[in-house]
Amino acid sequence: MNVIRLLLVDDDPLVRAGLSFMLGGSEDIEIVGEAADGSEVAALVDRTRPDVVLMDIRMPEVDGLAATEELRARKDAPEVVVLTTFHADDQVLRALRAGAAGFVLKDTPPAEIIAAVRRVAAGEPVLSPAVTRQLITQAASPDAYGGRRQTARERITALAERERDVAVAVGRGKSNAEIAQELFMSVATVKAHVSRILTKLDLNNRVQIALLAHDAGLLED
């Protein structure tokens, strides 16, 4: 059994205690550290080498957004899941664009939070198709969208036709199995295409593929 090394980051000690009690009871999850502010995260990551960081957004000195951006810019960065009280928050969008693997609400049932940590550790984003579409819609602000579309379209030209098809399917919130069925390829081939897309476009995860596909206008048909 592979044990998932988890770092908890939240300025509320009661929240940290609750998460530690809840998540630490799972045989496959080990709490390797706790932080009360984003300013503590980089040093703790260096010391504890977590696989996943469960990151609060609002903290007094360095917030979870800045901490996520710093972490995900590093080589061999841990996956980050942001904690929020909102379903669709501009701050969550910033975290996703920075490379967070998704988000969980603070009132999410314990079993779902545990499942979310396991999914992220396995390389899957913690965003349902419905939530992905909601966030992508929120991301398309009229003021910034025009410039993003041109930039996204230029980046998408780096993809081969089949990779582009996979990127569109990822943008629509489909799983690897669903993409394989839709595009008549094996799940292993889908995974290979996703890996190439991430490498070619210098992206962190499937959520960023979805956001880029939307920005490029590939989801409008």
Side-chain angles (χ1 to χ4, degrees):
M1 178 180 62
N2 293 325
V3 176
I4 302 165
R5 298 174 60 81
L6 180 67
L7 176 64
L8 302 177
V9 185
D10 196 296
D11 65 328
D12 188 333
L14 291 178
V15 171
R16 292 200 311 275
L19 289 170
S20 181
F21 176 79
M22 174 180 62
L23 294 162
S26 301
E27 292 184 357
D28 60 338
I29 297 176
E30 178 187 1
I31 309 298
V32 296
E34 298 181 14
D37 191 80
S39 60
E40 305 170 16
V41 172
L44 265 177
V45 166
D46 287 338
R47 187 162 69 249
T48 62
R49 300 295 177 184
D51 301 305
V52 179
V53 178
L54 198 55
M55 181 92 73
D56 187 22
I57 289 182
R58 294 170 176 82
M59 291 180 285
E61 295 182 25
V62 176
D63 66 26
L65 302 176
T68 296
E69 289 169 343
E70 179 183 354
L71 276 186
R72 294 302 298 170
R74 296 166 53 157
K75 184 179 180 181
D76 299 325
E79 297 291 351
V80 177
V81 178
V82 294
L83 284 165
T84 181
T85 55
F86 299 96
H87 283 274
D89 184 343
D90 287 344
Q91 292 181 316
V92 174
L93 286 168
R94 178 181 157 194
L96 295 178
R97 288 188 181 280
F103 73 91
V104 293
L105 300 175
K106 286 193 173 182
D107 60 356
T108 298
E112 292 183 22
I113 294 182
I114 293 170
V117 169
R118 289 171 176 157
R119 284 182 56 191
V120 168
E124 292 288 336
V126 185
L127 291 171
S128 69
V131 172
T132 300
R133 287 192 293 270
Q134 182 181 9
L135 288 171
I136 287 172
T137 300
Q138 290 286 329
S141 63
D143 292 338
Y145 188 42
R148 285 207 310 270
R149 170 162 288 201
Q150 181 60 34
T151 300
R153 285 182 169 178
E154 291 172 358
R155 294 180 69 188
I156 287 291
T157 60
L159 301 182
E161 181 179 357
R162 212 55 173 157
E163 292 165 350
R164 180 186 171 111
D165 292 340
V166 170
V168 171
V170 169
R172 289 180 173 144
K174 296 184 180 296
S175 67
N176 286 341
E178 291 170 334
I179 296 171
Q181 184 175 17
E182 179 179 295
L183 299 181
F184 303 103
M185 59 178 68
S186 69
V187 171
T189 300
V190 173
K191 290 181 178 178
H193 280 311
V194 170
S195 294
R196 282 196 293 272
I197 293 168
L198 293 172
T199 299
K200 284 186 176 183
L201 300 182
D202 192 26
L203 300 174
N204 281 290
N205 54 42
R206 295 168 73 98
V207 176
Q208 289 191 332
I209 294 176
L211 290 170
L212 187 66
H214 175 272
D215 288 350
L218 300 183
L219 309 182
E220 296 176 359
D221 296 336

